[in-house]
Amino acid sequence: MNTIVEQLQRVHGRIASAASQCGRNETDIRLLAVSKTRPAADVQAAYAAGQRQFGENYVQEGIDKIRTLKTACPEICWHLIGPLQSNKSRQVAEHFDWVQTVDRLKIAQRLSDQRPVHMRPLNICLQVNVSGETSKSGLAPDQVEALAGQISALPGLCLRGLMAIPEDTGDREKLGTQLLELKQLFDRMAEKHPQLDTLSMGMSNDLELAVACGSTLVRVGTAIFGSRNP
């Protein structure tokens, strides 16, 4: 079985190769290790190998790891990449560094109000539903600008970019179209909000395509840690 260190090296190799093929600099693409359902020991192993950014889907599971690893892994940057309910916003505001799934002003206001004053503003990505699936969370593309303007006025938050989970489809052309639409939206938004630097798209199975379409942050779990625990 490949170790987490070996898997990390392979993923970085994939990112470097994909960047080279489309004329991008690999250092412009960050790797977010998706550690949901994985034990803290796996996170610590990846940290020891140099990985610093980790993504969690579930609030309480993430907070448990944040507390467990606070001393051993002091440089970890924690991203919430799963849905966030209002009743858990305070916990997230007090523990996480990023929230990538904001799609409502109510949640944004609560996060801003509940962010401790001694902590840096919470980094925010707006989740965009580029596929238009009714079962999926996220803003419609034409709703993004309005919410971005509102979030920019909230003192406890720092708007950093856009995030999407495109349609789970075997049609690479269709997937590529959705990724490019998000990239075009990101570019338009960055003209009005120059602090935007994060386009979060791409996972284990499609990171090469995401890099070719302009992703600056790929979210990879299975390719690093193996099959997800139940």
Side-chain angles (χ1 to χ4, degrees):
M1 177 181 291
N2 293 319
T3 66
I4 290 173
V5 174
E6 291 170 333
Q7 297 285 51
L8 270 172
Q9 291 173 340
R10 292 186 180 188
V11 172
H12 280 294
R14 289 173 61 187
I15 293 172
S17 177
S20 176
Q21 290 179 24
C22 63
R24 296 184 63 193
N25 189 329
E26 65 178 283
T27 60
D28 293 334
I29 303 146
R30 291 172 289 154
L31 172 61
L32 181 69
V34 178
S35 47
K36 64 180 180 182
T37 79
R38 307 301 306 191
D42 284 359
V43 174
Q44 192 164 355
Y47 182 91
Q51 180 64 29
R52 292 295 181 265
Q53 300 198 55
F54 292 84
E56 290 288 329
N57 282 60
Y58 311 113
V59 173
Q60 191 56 56
E61 179 189 347
I63 290 174
D64 289 344
K65 290 176 191 171
I66 291 169
R67 289 171 172 164
T68 298
L69 297 169
K70 183 176 182 179
T71 300
C73 307
E75 297 177 0
I76 283 187
C77 181
W78 292 100
H79 297 237
L80 181 69
I81 58 173
L84 174 57
Q85 298 174 336
S86 296
N87 63 352
K88 295 184 179 180
S89 61
R90 181 176 297 278
Q91 295 171 282
V92 171
E94 292 176 348
H95 290 87
F96 282 83
D97 302 293
W98 288 69
V99 179
Q100 292 200 22
T101 51
V102 173
D103 61 2
R104 288 172 289 158
L105 179 59
K106 177 183 176 181
I107 287 290
Q109 289 174 323
R110 289 176 66 90
L111 290 171
S112 178
D113 292 343
Q114 295 164 347
R115 185 68 167 176
V117 294
H118 68 275
M119 298 179 73
R120 293 179 179 178
L122 185 62
N123 296 298
I124 298 296
C125 286
L126 300 182
Q127 183 174 354
V128 185
N129 187 348
V130 289
S131 60
E133 297 169 83
T134 57
S135 61
K136 189 170 289 182
S137 300
L139 296 157
D142 61 2
Q143 297 174 322
V144 171
E145 174 56 38
L147 185 55
Q150 293 168 319
I151 285 179
S152 295
L154 297 176
L157 306 182
C158 179
L159 181 63
R160 296 290 297 273
L162 305 179
M163 174 269 212
I165 306 172
E167 188 175 353
D168 185 10
T169 174
D171 186 337
R172 302 286 285 183
E173 183 176 353
K174 185 176 183 180
L175 177 59
T177 297
Q178 294 176 9
L179 295 176
L180 285 173
E181 287 176 355
L182 187 67
K183 175 61 164 64
Q184 291 165 0
L185 176 59
F186 175 81
D187 289 342
R188 294 195 300 271
M189 293 291 299
E191 292 179 0
K192 299 179 181 179
H193 305 274
Q195 79 278 13
L196 267 62
D197 60 4
T198 300
L199 181 56
S200 174
M201 60 185 193
M203 296 181 280
S204 293
N205 293 330
D206 61 5
L207 74 84
E208 287 85 1
L209 181 58
V211 168
C213 291
S215 175
T216 69
L217 181 71
V218 291
R219 309 182 303 270
V220 178
T222 302
I224 296 172
F225 297 110
S227 299
R228 188 182 308 167
N229 290 333

